[in-house]
């Protein structure tokens, strides 16, 4: 007993001491920021708020890996006191660099910083959205839409850990990721950068990524800092084109678009990038209500905001909201933008300086923004790193463990949507024809932000990675015939493909999209182009069984073809290991378990999402996508049963415990994600017919069953009330899992 009391006292003391020392560290950091701020000139402060692109100081004619024009870099850092830089080197051609080059770049920047008066470190930002995209030979994961399809957030934690480590080896740390936008507009060319249409799924995956990337302390040598983007409402353009207006009411914003950012802030993301477009007539960069009232006042965000590319200028040049570039700077800074991704000149610096000197932007606002930026720089440990060397490549960069996680993520992200009469898996000795524009390219599996912004330079892709065709060839013991081109745009000889099909057992037809991102990916219809449809229809007409594989960032309409195909595999953007993952599934070397994180539309104008309102599914309307949210087959079978809530009645502030049993009733070991939905039976604001609130993925042997427990919180039952405040309303709620429903009541 004495011993127990002693150890309790010791533990309590150590908690108090650790608590105190954490508090002391915090206080001393705060003091350092205050001292630093007090010693800064206005010019130095405005410089901290300025972010420039590498091209501003890139060498015109670089020699070897000397990519920097030293004079221009010194001008940026010493004359303009620039606080932040972004992007991969513009010269030779805006592409991924070797680790050595990155280290050299970062070292050069540090050595120029060391010559500055206050030696404030630069914070360097990079888009490492599915791995370290701008570092050669890095581990490139499935894109976010695929990560969500795994329904396995542990993989997202691992992706974050690995990406942070690989960036730190290069000397980089700040990642413009994760995308916390909700993908509810399938035309939008950045849909695949999101975790899909569901708020809960996106919140869980984004938070998991942040946890992995940042750990408990993002100044640790193998961790980094994340940037939530693009706050807020960017993903829902009315006409589907990138950077066009969204019309989102305050209720819809709070219900669908804010919660994932709220989750990201809770998970500890210290920076946020702003919506490049506009919502409800107000450009993201001019929206005081979003950037200050909600973000700071309600969500309690303490870090700094960064503009998106050139977007302060665009308040004048594009939006005609400001009457001059100077007014644009004033509007943005006063709305709550702390750092401007200018990024190609020093205009923001010059204009903000003038605005501060004339008092049009008060010093208090400048000090506030700079304090936030310096705080994050301190928290990231950047001040201590001026002297330190980056993490060693060995054991940290492109490791066998990272490869294994990536392979696992790719496999778990592939959705088997249809499998008539169990045509899949195929026998390895089957004679197959492989054709279609996405069959033999690595770029189509990876999408945008891969080695280059658009990800479409096939020549940059590693020769040892496998396309779908090459992976099938590797695994097949039969004859594999390929009819296709070498680039996405190559027209496939339909006659030749049909002729060849006659001698085959099976056709594997790979359709889809070329890589793209942002405005360059805009389309006018979700329909596939005629050339692909012609190829598909001609092959289907041969009567040979067709396995349809789609690859690409958006759900392009394949209804007629999918109905005739014997099996359909939805690959989306499974990353560098995606070709092999698809072949593994085709030949049964892996039992598929991916599930759709979006509703796959049947027709281009039939965009009804799974969490629609009752009115959207009343006859003659219906929620009848080609494949619904959460759909995905296995080579095994799973059944859920015994869904039960612990009690019939709950108080308003009580959590709800529930359980359900899942059983593998098939003959193969496999994984299954169990999805828990709720429905508020009657409410003062119309509620979706169901909403995902929890999920778990389990791995079960044939015949094995597992009881799963879930806890729903009052927040899970809440909605945005008539007065636009989040609330729980007493009444009946349904829990829906598989084919079962149970009801409970919440009482006042
Ligand atoms: C994109 C952002 C990206 C930024 C920096 C912008 O065009 O919208 O997502 O982080 O460029 O590359």
């Amino acid at each position: 007993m004495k011993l127990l009391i002693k150890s309790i006292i010791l533990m309590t003391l150590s908690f108090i001491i650790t608590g105190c020392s954490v508090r002391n560290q915090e206080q001393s950091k705060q003091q350092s920021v205050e001292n630093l701020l007090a010693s800064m000139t206005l010019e130095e402060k405005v410089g901290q708020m300025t972010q420039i692109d590498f091209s501003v100081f890139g060498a015109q004619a670089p020699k070897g890996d000397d990519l920097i024009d030293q004079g221009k870099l010194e001008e940026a850092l010493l004359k303009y006191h620039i606080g932040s830089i972004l992007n991969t080197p513009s010269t030779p051609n805006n592409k991924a660099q070797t680790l050595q080059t990155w280290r050299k770049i970062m070292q050069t920047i540090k050595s120029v910083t060391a010559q500055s008066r206050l030696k404030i470190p630069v914070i360097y930002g990079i888009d490492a959205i599915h791995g370290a995209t701008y570092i050669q030979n890095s581990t490139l994961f499935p894109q976010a839409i695929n990560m969500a399809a795994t329904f396995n957030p542990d993989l997202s934690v691992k992706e974050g850990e690995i990406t942070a480590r690989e960036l730190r080896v290069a000397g980089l740390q700040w990642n413009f990721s994760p995308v916390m936008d909700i993908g509810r507009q399938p035309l939008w060319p950045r849909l695949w950068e999101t975790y899909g249409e569901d708020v809960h799924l996106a919140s869980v995956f984004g938070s998991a990524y942040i946890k992995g990337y940042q750990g408990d302390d993002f100044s640790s040598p193998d961790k980094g800092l994340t940037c939530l983007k693009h706050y807020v409402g960017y993903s829902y353009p009315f006409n589907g084109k990138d950077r066009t207006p969204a019309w989102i009411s305050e209720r819809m914003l709070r219900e669908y678009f804010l919660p994932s950012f709220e989750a990201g802030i809770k998970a500890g993301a210290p920076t946020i990038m702003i919506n490049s477009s506009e919502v409800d007539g107000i450009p993201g960069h001019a929206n005081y209500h979003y950037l200050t009232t909600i973000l700071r006042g309600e969500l309690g965000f303490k870090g700094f905001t960064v503009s998106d590319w050139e977007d302060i200028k665009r308040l004048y040049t594009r939006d005609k909201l400001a009457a001059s570039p100077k007014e644009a700077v004033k509007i943005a800074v006063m709305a709550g933008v702390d750092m401007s991704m200018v990024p190609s000149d020093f205009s923001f610096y010059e204009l903000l300086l003038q605005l501060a000197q004339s008092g049009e932007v008060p010093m208090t606002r400048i000090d506030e923004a700079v304090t936030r930026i310096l705080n994050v720089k301190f928290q990231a440990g950047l001040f201590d790193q001026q002297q330190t060397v980056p993490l060693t490549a060995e054991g940290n960069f492109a490791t066998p463990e990272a490869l294994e996680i990536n392979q696992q993520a790719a496999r778990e992200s592939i959705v088997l949507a249809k499998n008539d009469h169990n045509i899949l898996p195929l026998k390895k000795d089957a004679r197959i024809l492989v054709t279609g524009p996405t069959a033999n390219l690595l770029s189509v599996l990876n999408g945008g932000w891969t080695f280059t912004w658009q990800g479409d330079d096939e020549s940059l892709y590693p020769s040892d990675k496998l396309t779908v065709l090459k992976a099938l060839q590797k695994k097949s013991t039969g004859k594999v015939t390929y009819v296709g081109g070498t680039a996405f745009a190559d027209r496939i000889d339909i006659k030749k493909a049909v002729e060849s099909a006659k001698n085959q057992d099976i056709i594997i037809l790979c359709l889809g999209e070329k890589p793209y991102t942002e405005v360059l990916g805009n389309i006018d219809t979700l329909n596939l182009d005629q050339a692909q449809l012609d190829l598909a229809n001609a092959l289907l007409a041969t009567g040979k069984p067709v396995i349809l594989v789609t690859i690409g960032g958006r759900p392009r309409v394949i209804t007629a073809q999918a109905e005739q195909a014997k099996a359909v595999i939805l690959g989306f953007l499974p990353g560098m290991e995606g070709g092999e993952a698809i072949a593994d599934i085709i030949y049964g070397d892996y039992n598929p378990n991916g599930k759709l994180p979006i509703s796959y539309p049947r027709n281009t104008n039939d965009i009804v999402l799974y969490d629609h309102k009752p009115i959207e599914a009343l006859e003659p309307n219906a929620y009848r996508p080609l494949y619904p949210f959460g759909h995905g087959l296995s080579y095994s079978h799973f059944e859920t049963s015994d869904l039960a809530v612990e009690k019939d009645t709950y108080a308003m502030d009580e959590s709800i415990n529930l359980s359900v049993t899942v059983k593998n009733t098939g003959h193969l070991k496999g994984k299954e994600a169990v999805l828990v939905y709720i429905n508020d039976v009657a409410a003062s604001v119309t509620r979706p017919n169901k909403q995902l609130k929890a999920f778990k993925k389990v791995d079960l042997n044939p015949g094995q069953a597992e009881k799963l427990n879930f806890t729903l919180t009052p927040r899970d039952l809440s909605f945005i009330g008539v007065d636009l405040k989040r609330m729980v309303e007493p009444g009946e709620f349904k829990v829906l899992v598989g084919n079962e429903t149970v009801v409970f009541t919440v009482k006042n």
Side-chain angles (χ1 to χ4, degrees), residues 662-676:
V662 53
K663 184 171 183 189
N664 183 346
T665 55
H667 302 292
L668 272 181
K669 183 176 160 62
K671 288 190 178 183
E672 169 75 350
V674 176
L675 315 190
V676 178

Side-chain angles (χ1 to χ4, degrees), residues 446-685:
N446 284 278
W449 305 109
T450 311
F451 306 130
T452 61
W453 176 43
Q454 292 296 315
D456 56 354
D457 187 346
E458 192 71 22
S459 71
L460 299 177
Y461 283 72
S463 52
D464 59 336
K465 296 294 173 188
L466 303 179
T467 61
V468 175
L469 169 70
K470 295 206 174 108
L472 289 168
Q473 283 168 333
K474 183 178 143 191
K475 286 177 199 295
S476 164
T477 57
K479 189 162 178 285
V480 179
T481 308
Y482 174 60
V483 176
T486 50
F488 188 89
D490 290 351
R491 271 203 168 247
I492 291 174
D493 186 336
I494 295 182
K495 240 170 97 188
K496 195 169 158 199
V498 168
E499 228 11 73
S500 159
K502 289 181 186 151
N503 306 316
Q504 320 289 343
D505 302 318
I506 302 271
I507 301 165
I508 298 185
L509 173 59
C510 301
L511 304 181
E513 296 188 315
K514 66 179 175 33
Y516 56 83
T517 187
E518 301 188 42
V519 288
L520 299 183
N522 282 348
I523 48 172
D524 298 329
T525 170
L526 283 176
N527 290 331
L528 274 177
D529 51 283
Q530 202 54 45
Q532 293 196 59
L533 294 177
D534 290 346
L535 173 68
N537 293 338
L539 290 169
L540 287 161
T542 63
K544 291 279 176 179
V546 171
I547 313 295
L548 175 57
V549 178
T550 66
I551 293 165
R554 272 172 298 217
R556 304 302 289 261
V557 174
I558 49 164
T559 307
Q561 292 68 34
E563 267 158 18
Q564 292 175 63
K566 295 288 179 262
V568 177
I569 292 174
L570 307 173
F572 291 98
L573 296 171
M576 214 49 100
E577 307 305 322
E580 203 148 10
I582 290 171
D584 280 343
I585 286 171
I586 288 178
Y587 284 127
D589 288 343
Y590 189 72
N591 188 1
N593 51 59
K595 293 195 171 195
L596 274 173
I598 54 164
S599 301
Y600 202 107
R602 184 172 291 273
N603 286 304
T604 188
N605 283 345
D606 190 20
I607 310 302
V608 183
L609 305 185
Y610 92 90
D611 53 352
H612 54 271
K613 298 295 181 69
I615 198 172
E616 287 176 279
L618 279 185
E619 284 300 327
N621 302 325
Y623 174 62
R624 45 175 211 110
L626 181 61
Y627 305 114
F629 175 89
H631 175 70
L633 305 172
S634 160
Y635 294 146
S636 202
H637 292 283
F638 296 90
E639 274 168 26
T640 48
S641 61
D642 304 326
L643 175 64
V645 275
E646 203 181 28
K647 299 196 290 180
D648 294 338
T649 308
Y650 291 86
M652 299 277 282
D653 57 354
E654 242 182 308
S655 287
I656 293 106
N657 292 323
L658 60 103
S659 61
V660 65
T661 299
V662 53
K663 184 171 183 189
N664 183 346
T665 55
H667 302 292
L668 272 181
K669 183 176 160 62
K671 288 190 178 183
E672 169 75 350
V674 176
L675 315 190
V676 178
Y677 298 94
I678 68 147
N679 165 247
D680 189 342
V681 175
S684 51
V685 173

